[in-house]
Amino acid sequence: MILAAVGGVTAAFFAFRENFDNAFVAAAVGAVCWFLSYRQQIREKLPKEDDDEQEDEVPDEDLHS
């Protein structure tokens, strides 16, 4: 999240100096950092897929009975 803020501030700095190419790159890097940070937060809140699969599996012994 800190890198996203740094990217935004850097983009504003470059835009203020009318260097729009570098401002775009800095804003894009900041946006990617923000997206990855948000994605990680969502992943931590969701249950792990491995836990769900283990509960749904039926042992082979029960299927043949």
Side-chain angles (χ1 to χ4, degrees):
M1 193 59 93
I2 293 172
L3 291 176
V6 168
V9 170
T10 305
F13 171 76
F14 283 130
F16 180 72
R17 300 207 35 160
E18 296 183 6
N19 190 346
F20 298 113
D21 291 337
N22 289 345
F24 176 79
V25 171
V29 168
V32 168
C33 289
W34 174 81
F35 176 76
L36 291 175
S37 172
Y38 185 71
R39 181 177 172 254
Q40 185 64 31
Q41 290 174 4
I42 295 296
R43 273 192 157 181
E44 290 173 356
K45 291 180 183 178
L46 293 176
K48 297 196 186 299
E49 291 181 20
D50 295 339
D51 295 339
D52 294 339
E53 290 178 9
Q54 289 177 356
E55 293 175 2
D56 294 338
E57 291 180 5
V58 177
D60 290 337
E61 296 170 355
D62 292 341
L63 293 175
H64 296 297
S65 300

